[in-house]
Amino acid sequence: MNIAELLNIKYPIIQGGMARISRGKLAAAVSNAGGLGLVGTGGLFTDEFIKEYEIAKELIDDDKYFGVNLVLIEPDREEKLEFIKNSDVKFVTISGGNPAKYVPILKEAGKTVYCLIGNSKMAKKCEDLGADGVILEGLEAGGHLSKATSMASLIPTIKATKLPVVAAGGYADGAQVLAAQVMGAAGVQMGTRFLVADECEVHDGYKEAIIEAKEYETDITGTLAGDPVRQIANDMTKQSLEYEKRGANEEEFIKLYTGTLKRAVFEGDRKTGSMMAGTSIGLVDEKQSVAEIFEELKEEYNKALEDIEKAKKFF
Ligand SMILES: Cc1cc2nc3c(=O)[nH]c(=O)nc-3n(C[C@H](O)[C@H](O)[C@H](O)COP(=O)(O)O)c2cc1C
């Protein structure tokens, strides 16, 4: 079972929802290139999200479609849900909260629903709720995190559910797509890989930070507060970790975090911006168009297929 067939797309690659970042232009470009692009609701007010949905609709080829990512932590989630329910969007991912109430509503509205999860236990829950698939995102991912690594949690999750399992977190190379497929994944969701795309509307400073950073140059902040977030290490993350160590009060944290995502996305502030990105920054080393990214993924995937022949010699 792979999502290329299940979702009627050319390549089994979903571009994940990214707060304030995965806008209409990026989503349409990914879908037009053969993957499945998502317009995110995260970090956007409902009217801003609707505007991005309209942009994607305008840019999408007639024979393609895009999906949306509904983030449940957002205060205006019900408004966004109402819009999505009544729109012609076919594919919805749900993240950032308990999907129990939302899966049945979206299924009732005729949508294909995949839930973003962090472990095998959640996979079974989503299956029982009637979801169509799950996206298993491991510790390597950019943004909000689960506890186990992508690789270690993939097989237990596949075993725990009959649903297709899309692998996410740390995947940016075609060889990894093949590896995930070999482990039984139905496809791969990528976020960080698309942050440097020409069609991704983040500040150049953000893109350059990703290109320059090595795979070990991210920090996980917010662990003590129960909401770990992976982002490129900088002055802000160092300060945050220091605050966590000495048990700073809520006010200090709020002051530190306020405006950090905006500063990263719109100003490219590499010192104090929250440049959320995964460990796959070590694999991302140039700005490319989405079409070029897919071309490269294809080459890497096919090269890895050839390498499998050599690997057989070891056993
Ligand atoms: C900057 C950034 C913002 C993100 N925001 C969201 C979000 O709003 N909703 C969501 O479901 N996932 C979000 N994610 C997770 C991605 O959708 C995706 O699952 C993740 O990036 C995959 O791991 P990777 O970064 O290693 O490719 C975000 C990731 C990044 C890098």
Side-chain angles (χ1 to χ4, degrees), residues 49-304:
F49 159 66
I50 294 172
K51 195 174 142 214
E52 296 304 323
Y53 160 88
E54 299 290 353
I55 290 172
K57 270 197 85 134
E58 212 176 292
L59 297 175
I60 196 99
D61 294 344
D62 288 345
D63 59 338
K64 302 285 192 328
Y65 71 100
F66 61 91
V68 298
N69 166 235
L70 178 64
V71 182
L72 300 180
I73 203 170
E74 306 272 316
D76 57 353
R77 60 187 171 273
E78 300 295 332
E79 242 182 282
K80 288 164 174 163
L81 173 73
E82 205 47 36
F83 173 81
I84 293 166
K85 246 174 54 182
N86 297 315
S87 73
D88 58 4
V89 162
K90 290 196 280 188
F91 182 82
V92 185
T93 66
I94 308 180
S95 59
N98 184 350
K101 174 183 157 191
Y102 298 90
V103 173
I105 294 175
L106 287 163
K107 285 306 300 167
E108 180 74 31
K111 314 296 181 192
T112 299
V113 182
Y114 278 43
C115 298
L116 187 82
I117 59 165
N119 58 55
S120 53
K121 198 170 155 191
M122 273 308 289
K124 183 73 181 91
K125 275 195 183 153
C126 294
E127 182 182 322
D128 294 343
L129 287 173
D132 298 287
V134 290
I135 301 165
L136 185 266
E137 190 191 71
L139 182 57
E140 296 91 329
H144 297 256
L145 298 176
S146 55
K147 280 187 178 165
T149 61
S150 300
M151 193 171 186
S153 50
L154 181 58
I155 292 174
T157 304
I158 290 168
K159 283 185 179 162
T161 178
K162 293 187 203 77
L163 296 179
V165 178
V166 175
Y171 296 91
D173 185 291
Q176 293 173 303
V177 176
L178 180 62
Q181 190 185 348
V182 170
M183 287 190 284
V188 168
Q189 171 163 291
M190 294 181 188
T192 299
R193 185 73 183 87
F194 290 111
L195 281 171
V196 297
D198 297 338
E199 296 87 344
C200 181
E201 296 166 277
V202 294
H203 193 281
D204 249 16
Y206 198 152
K207 294 183 180 181
E208 276 153 22
I210 290 170
I211 287 164
E212 284 169 31
K214 303 286 177 223
E215 78 282 3
Y216 48 84
E217 290 178 309
T218 61
D219 276 332
I220 300 175
T221 60
T223 305
L224 283 183
D227 186 19
V229 175
R230 189 185 290 283
Q231 41 201 322
I232 298 179
N234 63 12
D235 290 355
M236 187 275 292
T237 63
K238 299 256 171 316
Q239 182 77 66
S240 177
L241 294 175
E242 219 176 284
Y243 277 8
E244 285 180 46
K245 220 192 242 166
R246 76 158 160 84
N249 61 41
E250 206 183 328
E251 211 176 299
E252 286 175 286
F253 277 112
I254 290 174
K255 200 168 161 210
L256 179 66
Y257 292 152
T258 302
T260 50
L261 186 56
K262 249 187 190 166
R263 288 205 295 278
V265 175
F266 301 118
E267 296 164 26
D269 178 346
R270 292 175 65 166
K271 283 192 171 163
T272 74
S274 168
M275 303 209 154
M276 291 193 284
T279 51
S280 65
I281 47 175
L283 293 161
V284 179
D285 50 19
E286 62 177 319
K287 289 182 224 165
Q288 290 167 310
S289 67
V290 165
E292 285 167 342
I293 290 174
F294 273 94
E295 219 27 64
E296 199 166 280
L297 287 171
K298 208 161 91 180
E299 277 168 29
E300 291 158 350
Y301 180 96
N302 285 316
K303 158 95 175 44

